[in-house]
């Protein structure tokens, strides 16, 4: 793993360099290289890992639920997890808003907004997503990779297995073997990660263009500062105080998964790797990891929340709109819902941003200004998104082990 992480990091650095160099070739050459080499290689890698997501999530949650000793434990883990997710998202938003307030990345006059155009895609209504959590057809839930629905079906399936015990031992065994096959495949797919990472970052940097990056520098730096602060303060303190463990140990061991989250820009896509990393390198038990991390990859997006907070302030500043206190509270509320509703796939955070902007009456066209650099920011925020899920799994696992008296020093 160590070796592989190093290779991915080298691939990322080379990818950035290649992407920057691509700014100096002619448009035709760039389009050719991007269309026939970079994008296909990146896409093949993304498909390879995405292919594993649905079976892994289903099998591991079902096994996790089947393995839980008492039903009360499930409720307790669920409560702690959702509590952690909501509180950290709100903190992330406050960090994003405060930084954007003080740094003022969108101070008046940096953009001419007369030509800004953006066709807003309809953001899916949150209530509908929540109501649809119980699928009327489990097969279509699996076929459509609807994570929340899959989580529910798998939990019910696992609970039934636990209740039926010996009677369904064969099925239980089958799932365990399925899990082994999946883990084997994750290992295999990881070997292709450096190539995928190189192609994805080179294409993203090449696309954004050096000029575009320059003009958006303050906006990007504000978001990056928010992401770093949230990891260094919120997660570290939570791990230290709630998990009674070393943040350094956590970040060091989870780092390989962070590089994959960064490369793929997809929390869901990274799940196979982030779950395996948390289980094998942080010692998080399978039952906790397989519930907490898929749930987080679906509803917990602190990095996305930070982007949405900064973007909202940025657009308000560019258009010279002063947001009052009650509007800021509105931003926190809607952005919390928007980040819950953001699917863990590339670029969705930006679509959900429309919901926040509309709520406080800001022009949705403002999104056109940040579109160009969003691919790169998507990589960074996804890295934080999956880190938050793993931090939660680590903390919840340790508190469960403490309760049962099996906690080792972390
Ligand atoms: N790409 C992000 C994720 O998968 C979601 C987003 O902010 O667009 O976590």
């Amino acid at each position: 793993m160590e070796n592989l992480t190093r290779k991915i990091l080298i691939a990322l650095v080379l990818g950035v360099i290649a992407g920057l160099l691509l700014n100096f070739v002619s448009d035709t050459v760039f389009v050719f290289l991007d269309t026939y080499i970079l994008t296909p290689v990146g896409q093949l890698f993304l498909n390879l890992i995405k292919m594993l997501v649905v079976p892994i999530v289903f099998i591991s949650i079902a096994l996790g639920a089947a393995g839980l000793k008492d039903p009360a434990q499930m409720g307790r883990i669920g409560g702690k997890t959702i509590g952690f997710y909501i509180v950290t998202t709100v903190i992330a938003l406050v960090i994003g808003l405060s930084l954007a307030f003080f740094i003022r990345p969108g101070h008046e006059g940096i953009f001419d907004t007369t030509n800004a155009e953006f066709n807003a895609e309809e953001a899916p209504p949150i209530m509908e997503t929540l109501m649809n959590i119980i699928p009327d057809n489990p097969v279509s839930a699996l076929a459509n990779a609807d994570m929340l629905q899959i989580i529910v079906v798998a939990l019910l399936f696992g609970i039934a297995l636990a209740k039926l015990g010996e009677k369904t031992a064969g099925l239980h065994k089958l799932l365990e073997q399925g899990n082994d096959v999946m883990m084997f495949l994750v290992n295999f797919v990881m070997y292709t990660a450096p190539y995928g990472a190189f192609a994805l970052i080179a294409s993203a940097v090449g696309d954004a263009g050096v000029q575009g990056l320059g003009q958006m520098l303050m906006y990007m730096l504000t978001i990056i500062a928010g992401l770093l602060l949230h990891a260094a303060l919120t997660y570290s303190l939570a791990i230290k105080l709630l998990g009674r463990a070393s943040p350094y140990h956590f970040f060091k061991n989870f780092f390989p998964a962070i590089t994959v989250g960064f490369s793929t820009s997809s929390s869901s896509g990274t799940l196979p790797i982030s779950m395996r990393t948390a289980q094998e390198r942080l010692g998080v038990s399978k039952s906790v990891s397989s519930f907490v991390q898929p749930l987080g990859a679906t509803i917990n997006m602190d990095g996305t929340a930070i982007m949405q907070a900064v973007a909202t302030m940025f657009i308000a500043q560019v258009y010279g709109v002063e947001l009052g206190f009650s509007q800021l509270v509105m931003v926190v509320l809607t952005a919390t819902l928007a980040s819950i509703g953001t699917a863990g796939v590339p670029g969705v955070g930006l679509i959900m941003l429309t919901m926040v902007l509309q709520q406080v009456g800001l022009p949705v066209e403002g999104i056109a200004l940040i579109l160009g650099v969003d691919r790169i920011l998507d990589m960074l925020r996804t890295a934080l998104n999956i880190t938050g899920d793993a931090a939660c799994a680590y903390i919840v696992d340790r508190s469960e082990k403490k309760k049962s008296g099996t906690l080792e020093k972390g």
Side-chain angles (χ1 to χ4, degrees):
M1 190 75 129
E2 236 51 6
N3 214 346
L4 196 58
T5 313
R6 196 165 327 121
K7 276 195 190 151
I8 297 179
L9 280 179
I10 295 173
L12 286 173
V13 174
L14 291 179
V16 171
I17 298 174
L20 289 174
L21 289 177
L22 283 176
N23 278 283
F24 299 102
V25 300
S26 72
D27 269 359
T28 345
V29 176
F30 172 69
V31 171
F32 178 82
L33 290 176
D34 196 32
T35 317
Y36 293 103
I37 298 179
L38 298 178
T39 303
V41 171
Q43 199 58 45
L44 283 174
F45 166 64
L46 285 181
N47 287 353
L48 255 184
I49 57 171
K50 279 202 226 153
M51 175 182 88
L52 304 177
V53 174
V54 169
I56 284 192
V57 170
F58 181 82
I59 294 177
S60 60
I61 292 188
L63 275 179
L68 283 180
K69 306 280 170 313
D70 67 310
Q73 197 186 355
M74 185 119 66
R76 208 170 49 231
I77 294 177
K80 285 181 195 168
T81 304
I82 292 176
F84 183 92
Y85 285 161
I86 293 180
V87 173
T88 49
T89 301
V90 172
I91 297 176
L93 286 163
V94 173
I95 291 180
L97 288 175
S98 318
L99 284 176
F101 180 79
F102 289 112
I103 300 179
R104 294 191 71 75
H107 61 85
E108 293 91 72
I110 70 163
F111 282 109
D112 175 11
T113 52
T114 36
N115 291 324
E117 252 181 63
F118 181 75
N119 288 331
E121 273 182 55
E122 193 69 44
I126 299 290
M127 275 325 278
E128 206 173 289
T129 315
L130 291 179
M131 295 305 291
N132 281 341
I133 189 164
I134 298 180
D136 54 7
N137 177 348
V139 178
S140 79
L142 292 168
N144 295 327
D146 187 317
M147 281 307 151
L148 285 180
Q149 294 189 344
I150 297 177
I151 290 173
V152 172
V153 177
L155 275 177
L156 293 175
F157 198 87
I159 293 170
L161 281 183
K163 288 272 174 242
L164 293 169
E166 259 317 296
K167 209 169 165 189
T168 49
L171 201 48
H172 198 151
K173 185 91 194 141
L174 185 69
L175 283 181
E176 273 169 0
Q177 292 175 342
N179 200 40
D180 290 342
V181 172
M182 286 299 135
M183 286 306 141
F184 176 86
L185 290 177
V186 172
N187 271 331
F188 162 72
V189 169
M190 277 302 283
Y191 283 104
T192 65
Y195 308 99
F198 172 84
L200 289 166
I201 185 104
S203 157
V205 173
D207 242 4
V210 181
Q211 249 186 350
L213 291 181
Q215 204 177 22
M216 294 301 287
L217 199 63
M218 280 325 271
Y219 168 74
M220 294 178 77
L221 287 180
T222 312
I223 293 185
I224 293 170
L227 298 175
L228 289 175
L229 261 183
H230 196 54
L233 283 183
T234 318
Y235 295 157
S236 294
L237 281 177
I239 289 166
K240 184 106 212 121
L241 302 176
L242 302 175
R244 308 232 171 267
S246 144
Y248 175 73
H249 173 82
F250 170 80
F251 283 109
K252 181 170 166 267
N253 284 292
F254 192 64
F255 192 68
I258 296 180
T259 58
V260 177
F262 177 82
S263 316
T264 61
S265 306
S266 169
S267 304
S268 301
T270 315
L271 258 181
I273 284 120
S274 52
M275 283 167 62
R276 196 196 61 168
T277 311
Q279 291 169 13
E280 286 181 5
R281 292 172 59 101
L282 290 167
V284 177
S285 64
K286 286 208 173 89
S287 53
V288 170
S289 149
S290 60
F291 170 70
V292 175
Q293 288 178 284
L295 185 67
T298 319
I299 66 165
N300 182 50
M301 312 266 168
D302 292 355
T304 303
I306 290 174
M307 177 280 284
Q308 288 173 343
V310 175
T312 306
M313 287 294 266
F314 174 82
I315 291 172
Q317 289 163 359
V318 169
Y319 283 87
V321 180
E322 201 65 58
L323 293 178
F325 183 72
S326 60
Q327 277 171 308
L328 290 179
V329 173
M330 202 43 151
V331 171
V332 172
L333 283 178
T334 41
T336 303
L337 289 177
S339 70
I340 291 176
T342 301
V345 287
V348 181
L350 207 63
I351 296 173
M352 298 304 285
L353 176 63
T354 51
M355 186 175 126
V356 186
L357 296 178
Q358 275 161 353
Q359 198 67 38
V360 287
L362 285 168
V364 173
E365 299 75 54
I367 293 184
L369 306 174
I370 54 180
L371 207 57
V373 291
D374 197 65
R375 262 180 84 185
I376 293 174
L377 292 171
D378 197 5
M379 301 176 108
L380 292 162
R381 65 178 180 257
T382 306
L384 189 82
N385 287 346
I386 63 154
T387 307
D389 306 337
C392 180
Y394 189 46
I395 292 168
V396 170
D397 185 59
R398 289 181 63 83
S399 79
E400 285 299 309
K401 283 181 178 151
K402 192 161 173 228
K403 211 170 164 58
S404 62
T406 54
L407 183 66
E408 287 161 23
K409 216 176 137 23

